[in-house]
Amino acid sequence: MSRTSPLIGIAVLVLSMAAPLGAGAQVTPPATPDAAPQATPEAEANAAPEVAPETALRVIGAFRSNDCMLNADQEELFAADMDVTPEDYTVILADLIDRGFATGDAALPGAVALTPEFCGPQHADPAEVMVTVMRWNGCSMTGQEAPQLLLPMGFFPPDVANLVAQLRDEDRLIIEPTLLTLTDEACAAPAQ
């Protein structure tokens, strides 16, 4: 197969990012091919609450707007703007820490900071930021997901096309016509 097909995939991805986000646009998690086992009523009762992606993005945005960390006073000050319950806030921070996108202790006020790679392009290598975002999204990204995932990080279509080409050339990205997938090595979380 020629290299033309992957380049068409890049074009589809970049063009899809140019479309404006409509009202009510949401980030939807990618479908997983393996069905999860059915949860028992006890497990569901003890499970962490489901947090809407928009809520998580508001919290992450507040962190990014404040040099990627919020002290206890800032958390209290920005709570209304983030429109998040204290329980959801703790769940979001714990998830960010578990995924390696933040450090600290979610149970302590003001004790969490985003990692430079997840904070945004102004704080880290843009290729590492894109890899981190894709890890957060299950190590893949469709053209439809690209605007919701990359525009908040400050990436625009020309940036994405260059980063896709760079990651492909570094053998960290598999390009299909409407899907970008990290290689197994790139998908693995970095050592802490």
Side-chain angles (χ1 to χ4, degrees), residues 63-186:
F63 271 75
R64 287 187 180 133
S65 296
N66 289 284
D67 259 349
C68 302
M69 59 189 320
L70 294 176
N71 64 38
D73 292 335
Q74 290 170 319
E75 285 179 354
E76 189 174 317
L77 180 67
F78 297 129
D81 290 337
M82 290 186 284
D83 191 26
V84 62
T85 66
E87 296 80 17
D88 285 352
Y89 184 75
T90 302
V91 167
I92 292 165
L93 295 184
D95 183 58
L96 289 169
I97 292 168
D98 289 346
R99 293 174 187 244
F101 302 141
T103 59
D105 185 345
L108 298 175
V112 174
L114 299 180
T115 62
E117 295 80 16
F118 196 67
C119 188
Q122 70 276 24
H123 297 281
D125 174 34
E128 294 308 314
V129 173
M130 185 165 169
V131 167
T132 300
V133 169
M134 289 182 68
R135 276 189 200 120
W136 180 74
N137 197 52
C139 294
S140 66
M141 179 173 54
T142 66
Q144 192 173 23
E145 293 170 323
Q148 292 95 349
L149 295 172
L150 297 177
L151 287 174
M153 297 299 294
F155 291 126
F156 295 95
D159 304 318
V160 174
N162 293 333
L163 290 172
V164 166
Q166 176 186 341
L167 292 171
R168 179 204 58 216
D169 293 346
E170 293 171 356
D171 294 322
R172 296 199 285 166
L173 190 65
I174 300 164
I175 302 172
E176 297 174 35
T178 60
L179 179 70
L180 298 175
T181 305
L182 293 175
T183 61
D184 290 342
E185 295 81 19

